[in-house]
Every structure is written in C-alpha cells, then in structure tokens.
Amino acid sequence: MSSYSRFWRVFRRNKLAIFGGLVVFVFCVLAVLAPWIAPHDPYMGDLLWRLRPPAWVDGGSWDYPLGTDNLGRDILSRILYGTRISISLGFLVIGICTAIGVVLGLVSGYVGGAVDAVIQRVVDTLLAFPYLVFALALMAAFGPGFVNMVLALTYKEWVTPCRIVRSEVLSAKENTYVEAARAIGASPTRILFAHILPNVVPSAIVVATLRVGWVVLMEASLSFLGLGIQPPTPSWGAIIADGRNYLFRAWWISTFPGIAILLLVLGINLLGEGLRDALDPRLANAPLEQ
Amino acid sequence: MTLTYLIRRLLQAVPVFLGVTFIVFLLMYMTPGDPVDLMMGEGSVVSEEEIEQLRHELGLDRPFYEQYGRFLAGIFRGDLGNSITHRRPVATLIWERLPATIELTLLAGVIALAVAIPAGVVSAVRRYSVLDAVGSIASLIGVSMPGFWLGLILIIFFSVTLKVLPVAGRITYGTGLEPRTGFFVLDAILQGNGRALVDVLKHLIMPAFAMSVVMMAMTMRLTRSSMLEVINQDYIKTARAKGLANRTVILRHALRNALIPVVTTVALNLGSLLGGNMIIESVFAWPGLGRLVVESVYARDYPVVQGCVLVYALIYVSLNLIADLSYAYLNPKIRLE
Amino acid sequence: MHWRSKLLALAVSLLFGTLLFCFAQEKTLVVAIEHDVMTLDPGNHRDRETETVIRNMFDGLVTRTPDMEIVPELAVSWERPSPNEWVFHLRDGVTWHDGTPFTAEDVKFTIDRTVKEGMIAGQTSPRKGLLGSVTGAEVIDRLTVKIITSTPWPALISFLPFHEIVPKHYVEEVGDEYFAEHPVGTGPFKFVRWDKGVQVVMERYEGYYGGSPDIPPVGPAKVDRVIFRIIPETSTRIAALRAGEVHIATRIPVDLIPEIEADPNLQVMAVRGTRSTFIEMNVTKPPFDSVLVRRAMNYAIDVDKIVDLVLAGLATPIPSLLSPDSPFYKPLEPYGYDPERARALLAEAGYPDGFELTIDCEDYLKDVAVVVAQMLRQVGIDAKVQVWEWGVLKPKLLAHERAMWITDWGNGSLDPTGIMHPKLVTGERGNYSGYSSCLYDGLFEFANNVTLDPESRKEAFHIAQEVIYYDAPMVFLYVAQEVYGVSRRVANWRPSPDSRINLHDADLMG
C-alpha cells in the first residue's frame, strides 16, 4: 500500500480533522472573497453610526450585523478583511520558519560537531534575546508595516522547530532502526531522509500548527503595544487592541475578532493533529488503543 | 566530568552575551529618535547647545564602536551606566524591578506545570475520552486568547463585578511589609506578616494565572503527544506485557521518558515568559522589568534597554543550562559530552 | 525564632491585621496616574507625571490657581528694579519637612542648580530651558533674593510655577542621588515611601505654613495620606476607579465617559487643557508651499464635526495656535467648514483634481486622522493615514520629508513663548513645517528681548497670531479637555488646565 493512500485512509477516519480542515478552508475562502462579500468599506465609517451594538442587541441594525467600532466602521467587514492579514501573516511566517528550522535542525542534530556548535550559538543568541523587546526595537527602528511585522516575527521563530527537530534527531539517532540502517550500510543522506525525517515531521507539524496561532496572537500583542500593522488596516489584532478600552461599553468590538482567532486557531490545530496521526508511521502502524 | 561540562557551557555563553549586547546596541543605534530630544518635551524654548550639552554628558555624541566599547567595559566593572530619563544608575533600576518579574514568572510557571503535566498525562492515557476532549478544548482556548484580553476580562469579573481581588498593583499600602529581598511573598513569610502575605498573594494570582495560560496549554499538549509516543514504544509494551501494573508503567517508565522534550520546552517557555511579560505587566500595573523595557524603548533610553536585555539573556542562559542538566538526568542515554 | 512560633505569629497577625484594617479611620486619597515618576528631585526631570506628584511635596515661589492665574506661594511679592533683574520677597515662617527654616539661600541654590552646568551629580538639569535667559541668583538678605537674566525675559513669571524650591542644607548633606529618592520639601505633604513602579506615598505635613493665601482655604492638608498609584493601562485604571480602589483617575478617553457616568459613585470632571492640536503642513514643498492650498485645507476640514463626534464635544476649536485660556489670546474667527471654497482654492492653486496625500500621526491621534482623511477625500484629495511612533516620525519631520501630519504641543505656561515660538519661529526645534516669516520672527524678538512694556508685548503677540492665521502653515484644530474620573467621595478638588493635581485642599467624605 502506498504511503499516500495510507495517509488518506487514516486521515479520512478522523472527523475532527476534517472539520478543522473545513474551518481553515472556509476562512481561506472568506479571505479571498472579502472584497465582494463585505457589506461595508472596512476603512471608512459613518461617525453617526459609531459604537452600534450587534443586530440582535437593542439599538443594533442588520446593516451592521456585528455592530460598529468607535469610528462607525462595520466590525463584520473589518473582520472579513482582517482574515486576509491574519492568514497570510500566520502561514507566511510559519512556512518560512518551519522550512529554515527543520533543515537547520536536521543538519545540526545529524552532522553535529562544529556545524552544530555554530548553529546552536546562533540559536542561543536569538533565544536569549527577549522576543518582544526585539520585535519592539525592530518596529521602532523601521516603522510599523506588514513586511516589518513578518521580519519581527520570523527572526527567531525558526528557532523553536530547529530546537525540537534537533532533539528529536538526537534521540532518533539512538534508536534501533537507525542503528540497524547504519549497520547495513545505508548512506547518511538516506538515513537522514528515509529514517530520521519521517520521525521528525509529526513534531514539526504539531509545533508549526500551534505556532500559526501564536503568530496571529503576537500580531495582537504588538498591536497592544502600539506597534502593529499600519492602521487603519483591519488586522484582527489591531481590532482587538483598539477595542480593549471599550470592553465595558462596547464588548462586541474586540469579542468578535477574538472569536475569529479562536475559530481559526482551533481549525488549524484540529487539522494539524489529524495530519499528525495520519503522517506518523509509528502511531499509524500501531493499533489505536487506549 | 560534570565540572568540565559546566565550564564548557559557561564558555559557550560568552559569544551569546557578546551577540546579544551587539544586536541590542546595533538596533538601538539604528533606531531613529534622540533620547535627550524626546525627554526635553514641549512648552519651552530649548536651544541646540543645551541639547548638545546633555548629549555630550551622556556620551551620546561618540561613535558607535566607542559607545559599545564603553558599555562592555562597564559590564566588567558591574556598571551598566545611567538612565537618561530616570537619571539614576541602570543597575539600581533593574535591581528594583527584577524581583517583581521573577516572582510573577515563577508563580505562573508553577501554576502552568501543576495543571499541565497531570492533565497531559491523563489525556494521553485516556485518549479520545471525554477528559481528553475537555483538556484539548481548554488548551485550544488557552492558546487562542490574547493575554491582555484575558487579563482585562479577569479584572472585570473578579475585581469590578465580584470585588474579591484587587484590580492591579503588587501590594496594598499599610500592610506593614518592609521590602527587603524584593520578593514580597518571601518577605511576608520571613517577617511573619500574615496580612501582607494574603494581600500579596491576592495581587499575584490574576496576573500569574493570565501569564500561565499559554504555557499551560502548550505544556499540556506537548506532554500528551510525547506521552502518546512513549506509550507506543516497544519497551513500554514489553513492560506491560510482563504484567507490570499500569500505574507503575505510566509513572515509572513512560512519564520519565515523555518528560524529556517537555523539560526542554518548559525551560524555553519560561525564558519567553520572562521576555514577553510586558503585556501582562502593563495590564496589571505590575512593577516589573517588562514595563521598564517598553517605556525605555519608547523613550530611547538606550542604557536601560541594553541593561535589561543583558539581564534577560543572563536569566535565559541559566535556565537553559538547568534544562540541559535535567535533560541529561532524565535521559541517561544522552550523555553530557 | 523557631518556625512554629513564626507560623503562629503569622496566623495571629493575619487575624488582628484584618480586624485593624476594618477599623482604620484615616483618610487616604488615592490617585491613579499613567506611569511611574522618573525621580523625586524636582530639578532633574522633564516629565508631566513626575511634576504632578512632586508638586504636592514641594512649593514654588509662585503657583497657579485652578483658573491658571499666577499667585504668590513661597514668595510674598516681587519687583523688577531693572530689565534683567527680578527681586523676590519671601514668606517668613516657612519650614522644610525636617523642621529647618526656609530662606533665600534655598532659592539661590535651586535657581543655580537649574541653570548652571553640571550641578546635579555632575550633570546639567534638563529643566534649564524652562528658565529662559536666567543666569543665576543672588541672596540679598535672609528673605530676599534676586534672579538675574541675560536679556529681558518677560515670560519669567509664567515659567516660575514649574520650579519647585529644594532645600540647600539637605541636598548638600545627603547628596543628589539620595535626595532623588528621599525628598524633603516645603509642600503640604511630606514624603513617606516610593515603591518603584507601584506607588508614591506621602502624609500630611503638620507644620505646613498653609499655602498661597490667594487659594483659600489656608492651612494644613485635609486628608491624612495621599497615594499616587501607577496604573498604565486605561481599562485597568477605570476598573480600579469602579472598584473603589482609587479616587481620582487621570487621562480618561472621551469615549469612556458614559461608562463612568453610569456608575452612581463616580463623576466625570473635565477641564480645558493647555495642549493645542493641529495639522501641520510642509511649507517647503508642493503642494503646501502654496498658501492657497493651505487655506483650502483649513476650509476642507470640519473642526466642529471632529470635536462633536470624535471628542464628544470636549474640546474648543482654535483659530490660531494659542489656547483661549492664554492672556495673550486673540479671538479671531475660525476659517469654518466650506468644502466649495476649498475646491475653488485648490483649482486656483492648480490642483483642480486634487493630489495624493499621506497624513502622518501617532497612534493616539489616529481616530482624528482617519476622519480628516475622509473629509479631504470629499474635496478630491486622495488621502490616507499612516501611523508612526514619535521617535521615528520626528526626525523625518525635521528633515522636511513628510507632507502633512497631525500632532499637538503642550504649553503649560500659556505664554506664546512656550508654543508659538518653538513651533513657528524660523529654525526652532519644534518648527517641523519649515515655516519662516521675517515678520513673525521679528515680532517674537521684539516681544521677548526688546520691549519692556507689557501692552506692546501683548500687541506683538496679537499680530503674530494674525500672521499665522493668514499664512495658515497649519490647520488649527482644537484644545482638548482633559478628563478625570473622580469618586463622589472626593470634595474640594477640581482638575487644573496645566494637569497638576493639587491635593492640598482635597478632602474625602463618607
């Protein structure tokens, strides 16, 4: 049986993973269609309609289904447009970082020696630098914006997968099947890609999925500190951060983007776990037991 | 053996510190904005000469390499320079705030681990059970909430609505606590001041919880997945096949091995918690290092930012060393080379 | 002590502590401020919060009433025997918090410490600029002191409320660094403790001379203790106010006023501040090198609507740069909203189809900026908003790299010297727009360094306001009100335009 069909057979059985994938897919569709389905301009509001509650609350109107913010902008439209920012930011940053991290982690763990030492000193240096201070200083130095945000989040985000992959490689090297492969004279490349990489991928996926959510949240944190993506760009983090002063008076401003983050991260995680179960050869071969 | 390992690790830390101080120096140097100019504010006529005078007194008119050299030389003398806006020694400023940050971070870490490890083990052992599902959902919600948002919700609920916990700050005035170590919990216990202890704990609980949530969720998921892998390893199956009691297998064999990746991650996370707690500190008006750093970045108070980053790096390197030592202790297969 | 007896002591003090706490009847007034004080040395900072806290422990030669009138405090009277000399007669019977009498030596010490180089632990006071051309002071007798300037500097009295007098004997004895953390003043409250990042605590000084006779009642402070608590996050400050933990909370955003008003225990107090908000334009480059375009901007922006909708009506539109509270204010008719005229002026200047424009601002003004951009779009200008951090934006403004930006400038002295001079005189450090007018510069030279006649000085400033009104290097917006959330238990206190929080007379009821 090919590994692909095995993957599909296992994945298909996992209803939650399918659901997660569906959620992520829906968000992607919303992101693409935002300009056509958003009821209002996300940048311009009507000041006469400021701080309106959601439609089902007293004083609300179906013109603004999720209410308006302090400048009269439609929350639903801003969330729809924000989907684009959050999804592209999350996947871009994590995609770049996972790629860098997995490669360097494999090399570092498998080759060892001086290469490992150099990579690990770089990793240590970046990790020892408090990440928010770095992001803060970077945004202060170069100004807020999407590219700088990607930079501020990428600079050490690759370190986490790198560290995890490296430690997985270290313990995989000790495993019987790797030793066996070595004993029968398999080449290092073959050992690395055929025997070690498959063991490392599940961890990389678990870490990466959690980190996508983390990136979306970091964007909110930087917005909280006043260094988010350029306003009035409607990123989820910016909407939540701008709405935080209104938690008493207009809870809807930061609650709905918060729910959006929750849903997206939930979807990504369920999907990631499904992929993990289906991809991990050890778990997939084992009978699903308690 | 262990001693040579320690010495080697300490030597390895040297390039790390050099790298960190260099990065922060370079970043601050490249950042536009002049600290003296920002400090002078408005509402008066200030001459260029006056600003130059202050810049000269602070050594800000020197070239980059000279300023960096002075900073490095200062570190060896234990002198981190003077703050530009506070106009007091940086070491003093850090020393005043560090205990507050450490106290909060440690409590957050303890809360996180105390909940996460048992919960992770239970989820793994009872995989696909209701408990597992509840744990997964709770941890998902945990990692999906912005920290400041959770903090504000906690304040609104526990302080404004229920009025059972203080809104913010570290201690109420008038408890008679004399700050000596700067760790108020410790101070209160040493001085036998029960009222202060209760007051301090009441102030600590909300920020510590808000801070712990992300770490809790991540640790729990990691414990779970790590545990699942171990349970399916041959030696555990063998142990079970030999007829060892399930509890013994789980606690003695599986948990020990499952904790290896967890330990590394926890140490890294504690470092991130320390370096990322400025948000919780702002929300809860917690007088820690994080708030000092944020304010100093805005004010371009370079000496303070540099000093704080150095301290963060120091803490991080120490945590990492501890993690690696316990890693070796937990997994005899990994030797300290 | 054995650990068991320690535990017992812990339990007992826990019990009695709680009981005692319930019966304590002392009046403690708590004020929530946004960030920690930088220092407690009045001469070594340039920070508003720090000033607010310090002013309750230290008095100055003169002070301001809540209506911004300047009245004697530690000085009784003053005269100006020559253009460059001011003689102050000091109040008798004033003591420092350590009991030592206050004398002219202290005043001379304070002035010299502020204006001379390297006087505070080897560094120069950052408050030097707030004393203009003052070069030093001389003691005439125990209660008379002379302040000397290098040029006639009529604004001296307007700037003196910013300078609290420090004790010579104490600073010389303990040193500047110790003084900065253990201050001794002559004010209504004496220092108790400063928990860094948490609070500054002070208690009533029983030996207080009573304060300025022009601000009755005269006598010791009403409350036993004052605590300034540091709470940076706005929502947290309001939560603390609602939970009854603090009695006065500063810097309440106008949007949150309804939330405070909804609470029967709280009230909102607002006062017009001293900070003017305006839109500056780069007059060195097209399109804003054309006065027609600049006037068009003034017509295109509906200031009244901004004030009503973004600021909940809590701001006063201004026709020029100066606050209406300034004694030098010239009441001109604001440009008013007239989009038709704006379009006509744009066409006349050669921009019938408008142009592309980025409006810069800091985060806290972005709401205004977004609305301004919307209004400019109505007259055909393709405007968008960019938000900056001030430290990054400012060098770009000084290099004249940007086109239009919204900003503000505080002017606690209310004298034109504090705002019109640094903002618009050629080459001054706050002149980001690149505006340069011989007439305007000459008027300031005349008013500050030539004339000795207060009426001519006032006349010069009136003309200067008209000059910038017609040249329109800015779109003049408004002076905003500063909003405080105040517990209804607080009596005899009201906010002051210069954002000082004077708690001398404040009381706590119930």
Side-chain angles (χ1 to χ4, degrees), chain A residues 4-275:
Chain A
Y4 172 78
S5 59
R6 189 188 58 203
F7 160 75
W8 183 240
R9 187 174 55 85
V10 179
F11 184 78
R12 211 176 35 187
R13 270 210 318 245
N14 189 339
K15 297 281 184 297
L16 281 174
I18 303 279
F19 172 75
L22 214 62
V23 169
V24 176
F25 178 72
V26 167
F27 269 109
C28 289
V29 169
L30 289 180
V32 173
L33 295 182
W36 292 279
I37 54 176
H40 295 273
D41 183 336
Y43 298 96
M44 294 294 158
D46 185 345
L47 279 173
L48 296 172
W49 280 86
R50 57 205 301 276
L51 296 175
R52 290 297 167 118
W56 58 91
V57 177
D58 262 0
S61 145
W62 282 106
D63 286 343
Y64 300 95
L66 300 183
T68 63
D69 68 5
N70 57 318
L71 291 177
R73 295 175 297 197
D74 179 38
I75 300 287
L76 176 63
S77 306
R78 285 179 68 73
I79 291 177
L80 285 172
Y81 273 83
T83 313
R84 307 180 130 201
I85 314 270
S86 294
I87 285 186
S88 44
L89 194 69
F91 284 99
L92 194 63
V93 169
I94 291 304
I96 297 172
C97 292
T98 309
I100 300 176
V102 168
V103 170
L104 288 182
L106 279 174
V107 171
S108 190
Y110 192 75
V111 178
V115 177
D116 182 38
V118 169
I119 294 178
Q120 290 314 307
R121 287 304 79 69
V122 172
V123 164
D124 286 346
T125 306
L126 293 182
L127 280 178
F129 208 110
Y131 66 91
L132 263 179
V133 179
F134 186 92
L136 209 67
L138 196 87
M139 299 298 254
F142 301 114
F146 186 81
V147 176
N148 291 341
M149 175 74 90
V150 171
L151 276 180
L153 295 175
T154 308
Y155 95 97
K156 66 150 246 200
E157 189 44 34
W158 61 270
V159 162
T160 315
C162 177
R163 288 287 291 245
I164 304 274
V165 166
R166 177 176 176 268
S167 68
E168 292 275 335
V169 172
L170 283 184
S171 56
K173 262 164 93 175
E174 308 278 328
N175 264 333
T176 39
Y177 55 88
V178 172
E179 276 166 18
R182 205 180 280 146
I184 60 165
S187 74
T189 328
R190 185 172 160 73
I191 293 175
L192 199 57
F193 285 97
H195 298 282
I196 293 182
L197 188 63
N199 288 295
V200 155
V201 164
S203 327
I205 288 177
V206 173
V207 172
T209 48
L210 273 169
R211 299 313 273 184
V212 171
W214 181 85
V215 168
V216 175
L217 292 175
M218 264 308 280
E219 188 265 322
S221 298
L222 286 174
S223 298
F224 174 89
L225 293 172
L227 294 166
I229 286 176
Q230 194 57 50
T233 310
S235 79
W236 289 352
I239 309 174
I240 297 180
D242 284 351
R244 72 178 190 270
N245 280 343
Y246 300 90
L247 272 181
F248 290 111
R249 195 183 163 200
W251 52 268
W252 54 90
I253 301 178
S254 48
T255 303
F256 291 120
I259 292 173
I261 288 186
L262 193 78
L263 281 177
L264 178 62
V265 178
L266 188 80
I268 294 170
N269 280 307
L270 291 173
L271 178 65
E273 299 223 320
L275 291 175

Side-chain angles (χ1 to χ4, degrees), chain B residues 32-33 37-46 48 50-51 53-54 57-58 82 85-88 92 96-97 152 155 159-160 163 165-173 177-179 188-190 192-195 197-198 281-287 291 295 297-298 300, chain C residues 6 9-10 13-14 17-18 21 35-36 38-39 44 46 117-118 122-124 126 128-130 159 181 192-194 196-199 201 203 225 227 229-233 235-236 239-240 242-243 245 275 389-392 394-395 408-411 417-418 421-422 428-429:
Chain B
D37 192 56
L38 286 175
M39 177 179 67
M40 291 316 276
E42 302 158 353
S44 70
V45 181
V46 182
E48 282 303 319
E50 201 180 318
I51 287 182
Q53 164 78 23
L54 284 165
E57 284 174 6
L58 294 161
N82 270 304
T85 45
H86 298 258
R87 301 179 79 75
R88 296 193 293 133
T92 314
E96 285 163 3
R97 301 198 176 225
L152 289 172
I155 290 177
S159 305
V160 178
K163 292 191 200 288
L165 289 173
V167 171
R170 210 177 159 201
I171 189 166
T172 311
Y173 178 75
L177 185 77
E178 271 306 312
I189 293 172
L190 287 177
N193 187 337
R195 194 174 127 217
L197 182 64
V198 170
E281 286 187 1
S282 289
V283 170
F284 288 96
W286 192 260
R291 251 171 69 201
E295 282 163 16
V297 170
Y298 280 120
R300 302 284 183 271
Chain C
K6 246 183 196 175
L10 199 75
S13 63
L14 191 75
T18 321
F21 196 69
H35 65 81
D36 199 5
M38 298 293 168
T39 170
N44 205 8
R46 281 300 290 271
E117 279 175 17
Q123 299 191 326
T124 309
K128 185 170 157 39
L130 294 171
F159 279 89
E181 294 186 37
V192 176
R193 66 192 284 170
W194 174 17
K196 310 283 163 27
V198 184
Q199 59 198 0
V201 183
E203 274 171 0
R225 185 180 297 112
I227 298 176
R229 264 184 70 181
I230 295 114
I231 308 181
E233 179 64 20
S235 318
T236 317
R242 290 183 50 179
E245 285 183 29
R275 182 167 285 272
E389 199 213 331
W390 186 239
V392 180
K394 188 175 172 182
D408 54 18
W409 188 274
N411 181 30
T417 313
H421 188 244
E428 275 300 329
R429 77 180 183 109

Side-chain angles (χ1 to χ4, degrees), chain B residues 175-181 183-194 196, chain C residues 1 6 9-10 13:
Chain B
T175 53
L177 185 77
E178 271 306 312
R180 285 196 220 285
T181 62
F183 297 93
F184 284 2
V185 173
L186 195 65
D187 280 330
I189 293 172
L190 287 177
Q191 290 164 27
N193 187 337
Chain C
M1 212 176 354
K6 246 183 196 175
L10 199 75
S13 63

Side-chain angles (χ1 to χ4, degrees), chain C residues 202-218:
Chain C
M202 43 188 103
E203 274 171 0
R204 176 171 53 214
Y205 175 46
E206 301 296 346
Y208 188 51
Y209 65 93
S212 172
D214 296 275
I215 312 176
V218 174

